[in-house]
Amino acid sequence: MAKKSKKQQPGGTPATVALTAAGVPFTVHSYEHDPAHPSYGEEAAEAMGVSPDRVFKTLVADVDGTLTVAVVPVAGQLDLKALASAVGGKRATMADPTLAERTTGYVRGGISPLGQRRKLPTVLDESATRHETICVSAGRRGLEVELTPTDLTTLTSAALAPIGRG
C-alpha cells in the first residue's frame, strides 16, 4: 500500500516531518516488514515492486573519527575507500550499530538519511541521478519515501560520488 503525501500523516517519522516542513513532494510506501528477511533493502524493493537499483539503503560509517552517512543502492555494496575519498578522508569503517542508532535516532534497518537527530556529512551514490525518483527509508522498518535525487541531495546537503559497487 502506498499513499501520496504532502502533509504530515498521523504517526509520521522525523524523515516525513522534515520532508513536509521543506515542502518537498514525496510518496510514502509502507509494507509489512518480515523480521526473517535477510536484507531490509531487498525486502523493501520486493514488497514495493520497485527495481533494487532505485531503492537506496542508508549506512553509517566512521571516516577518520567522523560519523558519515552513505546512501547506496540496495542491489550493491558500499565501497568504503570511495566513501573516505569522497569526504576527503583516508580510512572508513562501518560504524558501531549502537552508535549509529543513538546518533541518528533511528533503528538499524530503518535509518533514514532525512530527519536525523544530528546532521551528519552525507554522500549519495551518483547512480541515483540516473533515476527520476528513488526510495529511501522513511525512518521505520517497513516504511519508505520516494523522492527525487535532487531533493534528497538538497535536504541532506549530500555530496554525489561513486561510492557504491555492484
Side-chain angles (χ1 to χ4, degrees):
M1 174 176 117
K3 54 182 161 178
K4 194 101 173 162
S5 174
K6 283 193 181 181
K7 294 185 178 157
Q8 176 56 31
Q9 299 293 318
T13 66
T16 59
V17 169
L19 287 165
T20 301
V24 170
F26 64 98
T27 304
V28 174
H29 297 276
S30 62
Y31 60 92
E32 194 62 40
H33 167 61
D34 175 6
H37 200 289
S39 166
Y40 296 118
E42 289 174 14
E43 176 190 27
E46 291 167 12
M48 294 185 304
V50 175
S51 173
D53 64 338
R54 278 190 51 229
V55 179
F56 283 65
K57 57 189 169 187
T58 306
L59 303 170
V60 181
D62 180 321
V63 180
D64 299 335
T66 300
L67 289 183
T68 304
V69 173
V71 185
V72 296
V74 301
Q77 294 181 323
L78 171 61
D79 181 333
L80 288 165
K81 275 183 136 170
L83 175 64
S85 177
V87 295
K90 294 182 185 201
R91 185 171 182 270
T93 58
M94 293 307 298
D96 172 72
T98 303
L99 179 60
E101 290 179 343
R102 191 172 49 242
T103 304
T104 64
Y106 293 116
V107 297
R108 199 167 16 149
I111 294 178
S112 177
L114 301 156
Q116 294 182 357
R117 187 174 286 153
R118 196 172 104 212
K119 191 168 180 138
L120 299 173
T122 302
V123 181
L124 174 61
D125 185 68
E126 67 183 10
S127 69
T129 61
R130 295 186 209 131
H131 307 286
E132 197 172 305
T133 61
I134 60 171
C135 297
V136 296
S137 175
R140 192 167 60 227
R141 294 173 188 153
L143 198 65
E144 296 277 315
V145 290
E146 182 176 352
L147 72 166
T148 69
T150 301
D151 285 339
L152 180 62
T153 301
T154 300
L155 290 173
T156 60
S157 304
L160 283 170
I163 60 167
R165 61 174 186 239

